[in-house]
Every structure is written in C-alpha cells, then in structure tokens.
Amino acid sequence: MVDVLPFVEARLRSALGEPDARAAVTFLGTDRVEVLRFRDADQGDVVRYATLGMSAQPMADPTATLADPVKGPRAELVLSVRAGRADTDKVLRPLAVLAASPQVEGVIVAPGASLDVGEPLWPGAPFTSVLVAEPGGLVEDLELDAPLDPVRFLPLLPMTPNEAAWKRVHGAPALQERWLTHGTDLRDPSRKSVALD
C-alpha cells in the first residue's frame, strides 16, 4: 500500500503555500482526517481550508460487495471563504465529517453532489450543506502511479437550505448559472440566498 498523503500535502503546499494551522479529527472506525488552513497571500482576505486524509483510500462504490483497496476515485475537499467576517475556523469538524463520509457512509463524493452536515458549517452560518464543484482550477489533480486513480481536489461551495432544495429540483448546473447571473460572492461566509424565483 502506497501512502499517498505526503504527496497530497506537497501538492496542497505548492498550490496554496504553507498552512498556518492544522487540526486532526478521528471518528470511530475511520482513518484520521486533518484539516489545513491556508491564508491566500495574493488575496489577503481569503482563507482556504483543505482536508488531508480523505484520499488515503479510494472511494468505493456503495453497491460493490467488496471495496477495492487500490482502484477507485480519490479526493480531498477545499473550501474558500473571506476571512474576518465570521468564525469560519469552526468549519474544521464539519469538513472532517464530510471528508470521512466515503468511509462512514460508503458514498462517492463527486462534482455536482450535495453534502449536508445537518448543522451550520460554522456558528451563525446560513449554510448547512455544500455543492461539490469541478476540480482542477485552484489545485491541480495529483497523478499517482498506475493502477491508482489521481487525487482530485474538489472545491466546496456553501449552499443555503433554499439553494440546496432548488438544486435538488433543477440540478447543480442551473444553480451555478443562477449564482453567476446574480454575481453571487460564494466566498462570503454570511451571504444571503440567491434569488430563486
């Protein structure tokens, strides 16, 4: 078994710089998940949180009788928010919960999916869920030696309950188009729901 996490952390550091804080969370029956915090030097008001540990094992198809220990999609999660507008450092545990969900619930986290933690992402947050966006923009995929799948770094976009409900009916592309049309600042930790009528 190859330990992919040192390579994953190296990729995060090369894309986002040195983390200025990290925390580890372990859930019963799962591997340890770390969450690293990065301050964006170019955009001083943006803070990024990235998981480290979700990609240690491939995500298994929930319908498969036996999980393949080698093949299968691998991913880490990245959340970007504007700093200083809310106590977003409390997002560490909810992020670790989402990162552990493939092991705990047997789900495959992929672009277009909704992930819900059932509580505000941080104190007073108007969001309890996130939309998983397409990878490759902020942090490039990390290619691993065959037969291992590459590690994808999936951006998370916080959704209000109304947006999450609307997305279930109309789909992720329609919600993203709505955000774009209205110039929604998806990094604003206290933003209101986009107009959905």
Side-chain angles (χ1 to χ4, degrees):
M1 290 295 286
V2 181
D3 183 5
V4 303
L5 296 184
F7 302 107
V8 172
E9 183 168 354
R11 174 56 54 92
L12 285 168
R13 286 171 183 266
S14 68
L16 304 176
E18 285 299 310
D20 70 344
R22 62 195 307 151
V25 182
T26 307
F27 302 100
L28 192 63
T30 67
D31 294 331
R32 177 176 129 131
V33 174
E34 285 191 274
V35 179
L36 282 53
R37 184 181 69 191
F38 301 87
R39 300 253 179 225
D40 193 323
D42 300 330
Q43 300 176 17
D45 69 334
V46 175
V47 61
R48 303 188 196 283
Y49 302 93
T51 63
L52 179 63
M54 182 177 172
S55 62
Q57 296 178 33
M59 292 182 269
D61 181 343
T63 59
T65 15
L66 232 75
D68 190 318
V70 178
K71 291 185 179 174
R74 293 175 189 259
E76 296 290 353
L77 308 175
V78 182
L79 174 70
S80 301
V81 291
R82 299 210 179 279
R85 299 186 187 180
D87 188 7
T88 56
D89 280 351
K90 296 284 195 305
V91 78
L92 301 178
R93 187 168 176 75
L95 266 184
V97 168
L98 296 178
S101 62
Q103 283 186 63
V104 175
E105 297 167 32
V107 297
I108 293 181
V109 176
S114 301
L115 303 175
D116 196 315
V117 292
E119 60 185 34
L121 292 176
W122 50 82
F127 321 104
T128 60
S129 63
V130 292
L131 174 65
V132 181
E134 290 292 334
L138 188 61
V139 185
E140 285 183 31
D141 292 356
L142 173 65
E143 296 295 332
L144 300 172
D145 292 339
L148 303 182
D149 287 27
V151 177
R152 304 170 88 198
F153 298 88
L154 302 171
L156 301 181
L157 308 174
M159 292 188 293
T160 66
N162 285 348
E163 290 169 339
W166 197 85
K167 181 250 171 192
R168 278 194 292 278
V169 174
H170 299 280
L175 178 58
Q176 289 177 298
E177 183 62 37
R178 181 64 54 127
W179 282 334
L180 197 60
T181 304
H182 289 271
T184 306
D185 181 2
L186 296 173
R187 294 177 181 169
D188 181 350
S190 52
R191 72 173 178 82
K192 303 282 185 259
S193 184
V194 71
L196 297 169
D197 45 11

Short mmCIF file of all heavy atoms in Angstrom, two decimals, residues 3-13 16 19 21-27 30-38 48-57 74-79 92 95-100 103 139 142 151-154 156:
data_model
loop_
_atom_site.label_atom_id
_atom_site.label_comp_id
_atom_site.label_asym_id
_atom_site.label_seq_id
_atom_site.Cartn_x
_atom_site.Cartn_y
_atom_site.Cartn_z
N ASP A 3 1.49 5.15 0.67
CA ASP A 3 0.96 6.25 1.48
C ASP A 3 0.95 7.49 0.59
O ASP A 3 1.99 8.08 0.31
CB ASP A 3 1.83 6.47 2.72
CG ASP A 3 1.27 7.58 3.61
OD1 ASP A 3 0.16 8.09 3.32
OD2 ASP A 3 1.95 7.94 4.59
N VAL A 4 -0.24 7.86 0.13
CA VAL A 4 -0.34 8.98 -0.82
C VAL A 4 -0.36 10.34 -0.11
O VAL A 4 -0.14 11.37 -0.75
CB VAL A 4 -1.60 8.85 -1.72
CG1 VAL A 4 -1.59 7.53 -2.47
CG2 VAL A 4 -2.88 9.00 -0.93
N LEU A 5 -0.61 10.35 1.20
CA LEU A 5 -0.83 11.63 1.89
C LEU A 5 0.36 12.59 1.85
O LEU A 5 0.15 13.80 1.71
CB LEU A 5 -1.31 11.39 3.33
CG LEU A 5 -2.67 10.68 3.44
CD1 LEU A 5 -3.12 10.58 4.88
CD2 LEU A 5 -3.74 11.39 2.60
N PRO A 6 1.62 12.12 1.96
CA PRO A 6 2.73 13.08 1.83
C PRO A 6 2.74 13.79 0.47
O PRO A 6 3.03 14.99 0.38
CB PRO A 6 3.98 12.21 2.00
CG PRO A 6 3.51 11.04 2.81
CD PRO A 6 2.11 10.79 2.35
N PHE A 7 2.35 13.06 -0.60
CA PHE A 7 2.30 13.66 -1.94
C PHE A 7 1.13 14.65 -2.03
O PHE A 7 1.23 15.69 -2.67
CB PHE A 7 2.15 12.57 -3.00
CG PHE A 7 3.27 11.56 -2.97
CD1 PHE A 7 3.04 10.27 -2.49
CD2 PHE A 7 4.55 11.89 -3.38
CE1 PHE A 7 4.06 9.33 -2.43
CE2 PHE A 7 5.59 10.95 -3.34
CZ PHE A 7 5.34 9.69 -2.85
N VAL A 8 0.03 14.29 -1.39
CA VAL A 8 -1.15 15.16 -1.39
C VAL A 8 -0.83 16.47 -0.66
O VAL A 8 -1.13 17.56 -1.14
CB VAL A 8 -2.35 14.45 -0.72
CG1 VAL A 8 -3.51 15.41 -0.54
CG2 VAL A 8 -2.78 13.25 -1.55
N GLU A 9 -0.18 16.35 0.51
CA GLU A 9 0.17 17.56 1.25
C GLU A 9 1.16 18.41 0.47
O GLU A 9 1.03 19.65 0.44
CB GLU A 9 0.75 17.21 2.62
CG GLU A 9 1.04 18.46 3.44
CD GLU A 9 1.33 18.20 4.91
OE1 GLU A 9 1.22 17.04 5.37
OE2 GLU A 9 1.68 19.18 5.60
N ALA A 10 2.10 17.78 -0.21
CA ALA A 10 3.07 18.53 -1.03
C ALA A 10 2.35 19.29 -2.14
O ALA A 10 2.68 20.45 -2.44
CB ALA A 10 4.12 17.59 -1.61
N ARG A 11 1.34 18.65 -2.76
CA ARG A 11 0.58 19.33 -3.82
C ARG A 11 -0.19 20.53 -3.26
O ARG A 11 -0.24 21.60 -3.86
CB ARG A 11 -0.36 18.34 -4.50
CG ARG A 11 -1.32 18.92 -5.54
CD ARG A 11 -0.63 19.69 -6.68
NE ARG A 11 0.38 18.94 -7.36
CZ ARG A 11 0.21 18.19 -8.44
NH1 ARG A 11 -0.99 18.09 -8.97
NH2 ARG A 11 1.22 17.55 -8.99
N LEU A 12 -0.80 20.35 -2.09
CA LEU A 12 -1.53 21.45 -1.45
C LEU A 12 -0.59 22.62 -1.14
O LEU A 12 -0.92 23.78 -1.40
CB LEU A 12 -2.21 20.97 -0.16
CG LEU A 12 -3.47 20.13 -0.33
CD1 LEU A 12 -3.88 19.48 1.00
CD2 LEU A 12 -4.62 20.96 -0.90
N ARG A 13 0.60 22.31 -0.61
CA ARG A 13 1.56 23.36 -0.28
C ARG A 13 2.05 24.09 -1.53
O ARG A 13 2.20 25.31 -1.52
CB ARG A 13 2.76 22.77 0.47
CG ARG A 13 2.47 22.38 1.91
CD ARG A 13 3.63 21.60 2.53
NE ARG A 13 3.34 21.16 3.86
CZ ARG A 13 3.67 21.84 4.97
NH1 ARG A 13 4.31 22.98 4.89
NH2 ARG A 13 3.36 21.35 6.15
N LEU A 16 -1.10 26.24 -2.57
CA LEU A 16 -1.70 27.19 -1.63
C LEU A 16 -0.70 27.83 -0.67
O LEU A 16 -1.07 28.73 0.08
CB LEU A 16 -2.80 26.49 -0.82
CG LEU A 16 -3.91 25.80 -1.63
CD1 LEU A 16 -4.86 25.06 -0.71
CD2 LEU A 16 -4.65 26.80 -2.49
N PRO A 19 0.61 25.98 5.23
CA PRO A 19 -0.56 26.11 6.10
C PRO A 19 -0.17 26.84 7.39
O PRO A 19 0.92 26.65 7.90
CB PRO A 19 -0.96 24.66 6.39
CG PRO A 19 0.27 23.86 6.14
CD PRO A 19 1.08 24.60 5.12
N ALA A 21 -2.25 26.72 10.08
CA ALA A 21 -2.88 25.98 11.18
C ALA A 21 -3.35 24.63 10.64
O ALA A 21 -3.60 24.49 9.44
CB ALA A 21 -4.06 26.75 11.76
N ARG A 22 -3.42 23.64 11.54
CA ARG A 22 -3.95 22.34 11.15
C ARG A 22 -4.59 21.69 12.37
O ARG A 22 -4.18 21.93 13.49
CB ARG A 22 -2.87 21.46 10.54
CG ARG A 22 -1.72 21.13 11.45
CD ARG A 22 -0.51 20.56 10.70
NE ARG A 22 -0.81 19.43 9.86
CZ ARG A 22 -0.12 19.14 8.74
NH1 ARG A 22 0.88 19.90 8.37
NH2 ARG A 22 -0.44 18.10 8.03
N ALA A 23 -5.60 20.91 12.11
CA ALA A 23 -6.29 20.20 13.19
C ALA A 23 -6.61 18.80 12.70
O ALA A 23 -6.82 18.59 11.50
CB ALA A 23 -7.58 20.93 13.56
N ALA A 24 -6.63 17.84 13.61
CA ALA A 24 -6.93 16.46 13.24
C ALA A 24 -8.20 15.99 13.95
O ALA A 24 -8.45 16.35 15.10
CB ALA A 24 -5.76 15.55 13.63
N VAL A 25 -9.00 15.23 13.22
CA VAL A 25 -10.22 14.66 13.77
C VAL A 25 -10.24 13.17 13.43
O VAL A 25 -9.92 12.79 12.30
CB VAL A 25 -11.47 15.34 13.18
CG1 VAL A 25 -12.74 14.78 13.80
CG2 VAL A 25 -11.43 16.85 13.39
N THR A 26 -10.58 12.33 14.40
CA THR A 26 -10.71 10.90 14.14
C THR A 26 -12.10 10.46 14.58
O THR A 26 -12.53 10.79 15.68
CB THR A 26 -9.65 10.11 14.92
OG1 THR A 26 -8.36 10.64 14.63
CG2 THR A 26 -9.66 8.64 14.52
N PHE A 27 -12.79 9.77 13.69
CA PHE A 27 -14.10 9.23 14.00
C PHE A 27 -13.96 7.73 14.20
O PHE A 27 -13.11 7.09 13.58
CB PHE A 27 -15.09 9.53 12.87
CG PHE A 27 -15.23 11.00 12.58
CD1 PHE A 27 -14.56 11.56 11.50
CD2 PHE A 27 -15.99 11.82 13.39
CE1 PHE A 27 -14.66 12.91 11.23
CE2 PHE A 27 -16.10 13.17 13.13
CZ PHE A 27 -15.44 13.72 12.05
N THR A 30 -12.76 5.01 11.48
CA THR A 30 -12.25 5.66 10.27
C THR A 30 -10.80 6.09 10.47
O THR A 30 -10.31 6.16 11.60
CB THR A 30 -13.05 6.92 9.90
OG1 THR A 30 -12.84 7.92 10.90
CG2 THR A 30 -14.54 6.62 9.78
N ASP A 31 -10.15 6.39 9.36
CA ASP A 31 -8.80 6.94 9.43
C ASP A 31 -8.87 8.39 9.89
O ASP A 31 -9.90 9.05 9.75
CB ASP A 31 -8.13 6.89 8.04
CG ASP A 31 -7.91 5.46 7.59
OD1 ASP A 31 -7.74 4.58 8.45
OD2 ASP A 31 -7.90 5.22 6.36
N ARG A 32 -7.77 8.87 10.41
CA ARG A 32 -7.67 10.25 10.86
C ARG A 32 -7.76 11.21 9.66
O ARG A 32 -7.21 10.94 8.60
CB ARG A 32 -6.30 10.39 11.53
CG ARG A 32 -5.93 11.73 12.02
CD ARG A 32 -4.60 11.55 12.72
NE ARG A 32 -3.65 12.51 12.23
CZ ARG A 32 -2.91 13.27 13.00
NH1 ARG A 32 -2.97 13.14 14.30
NH2 ARG A 32 -2.08 14.13 12.49
N VAL A 33 -8.49 12.29 9.84
CA VAL A 33 -8.61 13.33 8.81
C VAL A 33 -8.06 14.63 9.39
O VAL A 33 -8.44 15.02 10.50
CB VAL A 33 -10.08 13.55 8.37
CG1 VAL A 33 -10.19 14.73 7.41
CG2 VAL A 33 -10.64 12.29 7.73
N GLU A 34 -7.16 15.26 8.66
CA GLU A 34 -6.66 16.56 9.08
C GLU A 34 -7.31 17.64 8.22
O GLU A 34 -7.69 17.38 7.07
CB GLU A 34 -5.14 16.64 8.91
CG GLU A 34 -4.38 15.88 9.96
CD GLU A 34 -2.89 16.20 9.91
OE1 GLU A 34 -2.19 15.53 9.12
OE2 GLU A 34 -2.46 17.10 10.64
N VAL A 35 -7.43 18.83 8.78
CA VAL A 35 -7.88 19.99 8.01
C VAL A 35 -6.79 21.04 8.15
O VAL A 35 -6.40 21.40 9.27
CB VAL A 35 -9.24 20.52 8.50
CG1 VAL A 35 -9.66 21.73 7.69
CG2 VAL A 35 -10.31 19.44 8.42
N LEU A 36 -6.28 21.50 7.01
CA LEU A 36 -5.22 22.51 6.97
C LEU A 36 -5.82 23.86 6.60
O LEU A 36 -6.72 23.92 5.76
CB LEU A 36 -4.16 22.13 5.94
CG LEU A 36 -3.14 21.05 6.32
CD1 LEU A 36 -3.78 19.78 6.79
CD2 LEU A 36 -2.21 20.77 5.15
N ARG A 37 -5.33 24.92 7.23
CA ARG A 37 -5.80 26.27 6.90
C ARG A 37 -4.68 27.03 6.18
O ARG A 37 -3.53 27.02 6.63
CB ARG A 37 -6.21 27.02 8.17
CG ARG A 37 -6.81 28.41 7.88
CD ARG A 37 -7.18 29.13 9.15
NE ARG A 37 -5.97 29.51 9.87
CZ ARG A 37 -5.96 29.98 11.12
NH1 ARG A 37 -7.08 30.07 11.80
NH2 ARG A 37 -4.84 30.32 11.71
N PHE A 38 -5.05 27.66 5.08
CA PHE A 38 -4.10 28.46 4.29
C PHE A 38 -4.64 29.87 4.15
O PHE A 38 -5.82 30.06 3.88
CB PHE A 38 -3.94 27.87 2.88
CG PHE A 38 -3.44 26.45 2.85
CD1 PHE A 38 -4.31 25.38 2.94
CD2 PHE A 38 -2.08 26.19 2.72
CE1 PHE A 38 -3.85 24.07 2.91
CE2 PHE A 38 -1.61 24.88 2.67
CZ PHE A 38 -2.50 23.82 2.78
N ARG A 48 -8.39 29.53 3.10
CA ARG A 48 -8.78 28.27 2.49
C ARG A 48 -8.57 27.14 3.48
O ARG A 48 -7.57 27.11 4.19
CB ARG A 48 -7.95 28.00 1.23
CG ARG A 48 -8.07 29.10 0.21
CD ARG A 48 -7.41 28.73 -1.10
NE ARG A 48 -7.18 29.87 -1.95
CZ ARG A 48 -8.08 30.49 -2.67
NH1 ARG A 48 -9.33 30.09 -2.63
NH2 ARG A 48 -7.77 31.53 -3.43
N TYR A 49 -9.52 26.22 3.51
CA TYR A 49 -9.44 25.03 4.36
C TYR A 49 -9.39 23.82 3.44
O TYR A 49 -10.24 23.68 2.54
CB TYR A 49 -10.66 24.93 5.28
CG TYR A 49 -10.84 26.14 6.18
CD1 TYR A 49 -11.65 27.20 5.79
CD2 TYR A 49 -10.19 26.22 7.40
CE1 TYR A 49 -11.81 28.31 6.61
CE2 TYR A 49 -10.35 27.32 8.23
CZ TYR A 49 -11.16 28.37 7.82
OH TYR A 49 -11.32 29.47 8.64
N ALA A 50 -8.42 22.95 3.63
CA ALA A 50 -8.29 21.75 2.80
C ALA A 50 -8.18 20.53 3.68
O ALA A 50 -7.47 20.54 4.69
CB ALA A 50 -7.05 21.87 1.91
N THR A 51 -8.88 19.47 3.30
CA THR A 51 -8.79 18.22 4.05
C THR A 51 -7.55 17.45 3.61
O THR A 51 -7.06 17.60 2.49
CB THR A 51 -10.04 17.34 3.83
OG1 THR A 51 -10.14 16.98 2.45
CG2 THR A 51 -11.30 18.07 4.27
N LEU A 52 -7.04 16.64 4.52
CA LEU A 52 -5.90 15.77 4.24
C LEU A 52 -6.17 14.44 4.95
O LEU A 52 -6.19 14.40 6.18
CB LEU A 52 -4.61 16.41 4.75
CG LEU A 52 -3.32 15.60 4.54
CD1 LEU A 52 -3.03 15.39 3.06
CD2 LEU A 52 -2.14 16.27 5.22
N GLY A 53 -6.42 13.41 4.17
CA GLY A 53 -6.73 12.11 4.75
C GLY A 53 -7.84 11.38 4.00
O GLY A 53 -7.89 10.15 3.98
N MET A 54 -8.72 12.13 3.38
CA MET A 54 -9.83 11.53 2.61
C MET A 54 -9.29 10.67 1.47
O MET A 54 -9.86 9.64 1.13
CB MET A 54 -10.72 12.65 2.07
CG MET A 54 -11.93 12.21 1.31
SD MET A 54 -12.88 13.67 0.84
CE MET A 54 -14.12 12.94 -0.23
N SER A 55 -8.15 11.08 0.88
CA SER A 55 -7.61 10.38 -0.29
C SER A 55 -6.72 9.19 0.07
O SER A 55 -6.19 8.52 -0.81
CB SER A 55 -6.81 11.35 -1.16
OG SER A 55 -5.71 11.87 -0.42
N ALA A 56 -6.56 8.91 1.37
CA ALA A 56 -5.71 7.78 1.79
C ALA A 56 -6.21 6.47 1.22
O ALA A 56 -5.44 5.56 0.92
CB ALA A 56 -5.63 7.72 3.31
N GLN A 57 -7.53 6.37 1.07
CA GLN A 57 -8.14 5.17 0.49
C GLN A 57 -9.05 5.58 -0.66
O GLN A 57 -9.64 6.66 -0.62
CB GLN A 57 -8.99 4.44 1.53
CG GLN A 57 -8.22 3.90 2.71
CD GLN A 57 -9.15 3.24 3.71
OE1 GLN A 57 -10.17 2.66 3.33
NE2 GLN A 57 -8.82 3.33 4.97
N ARG A 74 -10.20 9.07 -5.79
CA ARG A 74 -9.64 9.64 -4.56
C ARG A 74 -9.83 11.15 -4.62
O ARG A 74 -9.70 11.75 -5.69
CB ARG A 74 -8.15 9.33 -4.44
CG ARG A 74 -7.84 7.85 -4.24
CD ARG A 74 -6.34 7.60 -4.26
NE ARG A 74 -6.05 6.18 -4.29
CZ ARG A 74 -5.67 5.47 -3.24
NH1 ARG A 74 -5.53 6.04 -2.06
NH2 ARG A 74 -5.42 4.18 -3.36
N ALA A 75 -10.09 11.75 -3.47
CA ALA A 75 -10.32 13.19 -3.46
C ALA A 75 -10.00 13.79 -2.10
O ALA A 75 -9.93 13.10 -1.09
CB ALA A 75 -11.78 13.50 -3.82
N GLU A 76 -9.77 15.09 -2.12
CA GLU A 76 -9.72 15.92 -0.91
C GLU A 76 -10.64 17.11 -1.17
O GLU A 76 -10.97 17.43 -2.32
CB GLU A 76 -8.29 16.42 -0.62
CG GLU A 76 -7.29 15.32 -0.30
CD GLU A 76 -7.49 14.62 1.04
OE1 GLU A 76 -8.36 15.06 1.83
OE2 GLU A 76 -6.77 13.64 1.30
N LEU A 77 -11.08 17.77 -0.10
CA LEU A 77 -12.03 18.88 -0.19
C LEU A 77 -11.35 20.20 0.11
O LEU A 77 -10.49 20.27 1.00
CB LEU A 77 -13.17 18.64 0.80
CG LEU A 77 -13.85 17.27 0.72
CD1 LEU A 77 -14.87 17.12 1.84
CD2 LEU A 77 -14.49 17.05 -0.64
N VAL A 78 -11.74 21.25 -0.61
CA VAL A 78 -11.16 22.59 -0.41
C VAL A 78 -12.31 23.60 -0.31
O VAL A 78 -13.17 23.66 -1.19
CB VAL A 78 -10.22 22.99 -1.57
CG1 VAL A 78 -9.61 24.36 -1.30
CG2 VAL A 78 -9.12 21.95 -1.77
N LEU A 79 -12.31 24.37 0.77
CA LEU A 79 -13.31 25.41 0.99
C LEU A 79 -12.61 26.76 1.09
O LEU A 79 -11.65 26.90 1.86
CB LEU A 79 -14.08 25.12 2.29
CG LEU A 79 -15.07 26.20 2.74
CD1 LEU A 79 -16.29 26.24 1.82
CD2 LEU A 79 -15.51 25.94 4.18
N LEU A 92 -13.81 23.32 10.81
CA LEU A 92 -12.88 22.19 10.78
C LEU A 92 -13.59 20.85 11.00
O LEU A 92 -13.38 19.90 10.24
CB LEU A 92 -11.77 22.38 11.82
CG LEU A 92 -10.92 23.65 11.67
CD1 LEU A 92 -9.90 23.74 12.78
CD2 LEU A 92 -10.24 23.69 10.31
N LEU A 95 -16.01 19.90 8.10
CA LEU A 95 -15.22 19.49 6.93
C LEU A 95 -14.68 18.07 7.10
O LEU A 95 -14.70 17.28 6.16
CB LEU A 95 -14.05 20.45 6.71
CG LEU A 95 -14.25 21.61 5.75
CD1 LEU A 95 -12.96 22.39 5.58
CD2 LEU A 95 -14.77 21.15 4.41
N ALA A 96 -14.20 17.78 8.31
CA ALA A 96 -13.69 16.43 8.58
C ALA A 96 -14.81 15.40 8.47
O ALA A 96 -14.60 14.29 7.97
CB ALA A 96 -13.03 16.38 9.96
N VAL A 97 -16.00 15.76 8.92
CA VAL A 97 -17.17 14.87 8.79
C VAL A 97 -17.43 14.56 7.32
O VAL A 97 -17.64 13.40 6.93
CB VAL A 97 -18.42 15.50 9.45
CG1 VAL A 97 -19.68 14.73 9.06
CG2 VAL A 97 -18.27 15.54 10.96
N LEU A 98 -17.41 15.61 6.48
CA LEU A 98 -17.65 15.40 5.05
C LEU A 98 -16.55 14.54 4.43
O LEU A 98 -16.82 13.68 3.60
CB LEU A 98 -17.73 16.75 4.32
CG LEU A 98 -18.90 17.66 4.73
CD1 LEU A 98 -18.86 18.97 3.98
CD2 LEU A 98 -20.23 16.95 4.50
N ALA A 99 -15.30 14.78 4.85
CA ALA A 99 -14.17 14.02 4.30
C ALA A 99 -14.23 12.55 4.72
O ALA A 99 -13.74 11.68 4.00
CB ALA A 99 -12.84 14.64 4.75
N ALA A 100 -14.82 12.28 5.88
CA ALA A 100 -14.94 10.90 6.36
C ALA A 100 -16.15 10.18 5.78
O ALA A 100 -16.26 8.96 5.89
CB ALA A 100 -15.02 10.88 7.89
N GLN A 103 -15.87 6.79 3.87
CA GLN A 103 -15.58 5.63 4.73
C GLN A 103 -16.77 5.26 5.60
O GLN A 103 -17.10 4.10 5.77
CB GLN A 103 -14.40 5.93 5.65
CG GLN A 103 -13.04 5.86 4.98
CD GLN A 103 -11.95 6.03 6.02
OE1 GLN A 103 -11.81 5.23 6.93
NE2 GLN A 103 -11.18 7.10 5.90
N VAL A 139 -6.31 23.82 -7.31
CA VAL A 139 -5.27 22.81 -7.06
C VAL A 139 -5.41 21.74 -8.15
O VAL A 139 -6.46 21.11 -8.26
CB VAL A 139 -5.41 22.16 -5.66
CG1 VAL A 139 -4.26 21.20 -5.39
CG2 VAL A 139 -5.50 23.22 -4.57
N LEU A 142 -3.63 15.39 -8.68
CA LEU A 142 -2.34 14.75 -8.39
C LEU A 142 -2.34 13.36 -9.02
O LEU A 142 -3.09 12.47 -8.59
CB LEU A 142 -2.14 14.65 -6.87
CG LEU A 142 -0.91 13.87 -6.40
CD1 LEU A 142 0.39 14.55 -6.83
CD2 LEU A 142 -0.94 13.69 -4.89
N VAL A 151 -5.62 11.88 -7.43
CA VAL A 151 -6.33 12.57 -6.35
C VAL A 151 -6.87 13.87 -6.92
O VAL A 151 -6.13 14.66 -7.50
CB VAL A 151 -5.39 12.87 -5.16
CG1 VAL A 151 -6.14 13.65 -4.08
CG2 VAL A 151 -4.82 11.58 -4.58
N ARG A 152 -8.16 14.09 -6.76
CA ARG A 152 -8.80 15.32 -7.24
C ARG A 152 -9.09 16.20 -6.03
O ARG A 152 -9.49 15.71 -4.97
CB ARG A 152 -10.09 14.98 -7.99
CG ARG A 152 -9.85 14.01 -9.13
CD ARG A 152 -11.14 13.51 -9.71
NE ARG A 152 -11.60 14.40 -10.75
CZ ARG A 152 -12.84 14.45 -11.21
NH1 ARG A 152 -13.77 13.66 -10.72
NH2 ARG A 152 -13.17 15.29 -12.16
N PHE A 153 -8.88 17.50 -6.20
CA PHE A 153 -9.11 18.46 -5.12
C PHE A 153 -10.42 19.18 -5.43
O PHE A 153 -10.47 20.02 -6.33
CB PHE A 153 -7.92 19.40 -5.00
CG PHE A 153 -6.64 18.68 -4.64
CD1 PHE A 153 -5.83 18.14 -5.62
CD2 PHE A 153 -6.29 18.50 -3.31
CE1 PHE A 153 -4.68 17.43 -5.30
CE2 PHE A 153 -5.14 17.79 -2.97
CZ PHE A 153 -4.33 17.26 -3.96
N LEU A 154 -11.46 18.81 -4.71
CA LEU A 154 -12.81 19.26 -5.03
C LEU A 154 -13.19 20.52 -4.24
O LEU A 154 -13.24 20.49 -3.02
CB LEU A 154 -13.81 18.14 -4.71
CG LEU A 154 -13.57 16.81 -5.43
CD1 LEU A 154 -14.47 15.72 -4.86
CD2 LEU A 154 -13.77 16.97 -6.92
N LEU A 156 -15.58 23.21 -2.55
CA LEU A 156 -16.90 23.16 -1.93
C LEU A 156 -17.52 24.55 -1.96
O LEU A 156 -16.87 25.53 -1.58
CB LEU A 156 -16.79 22.68 -0.48
CG LEU A 156 -16.18 21.30 -0.25
CD1 LEU A 156 -16.17 20.97 1.23
CD2 LEU A 156 -16.94 20.22 -1.04
#
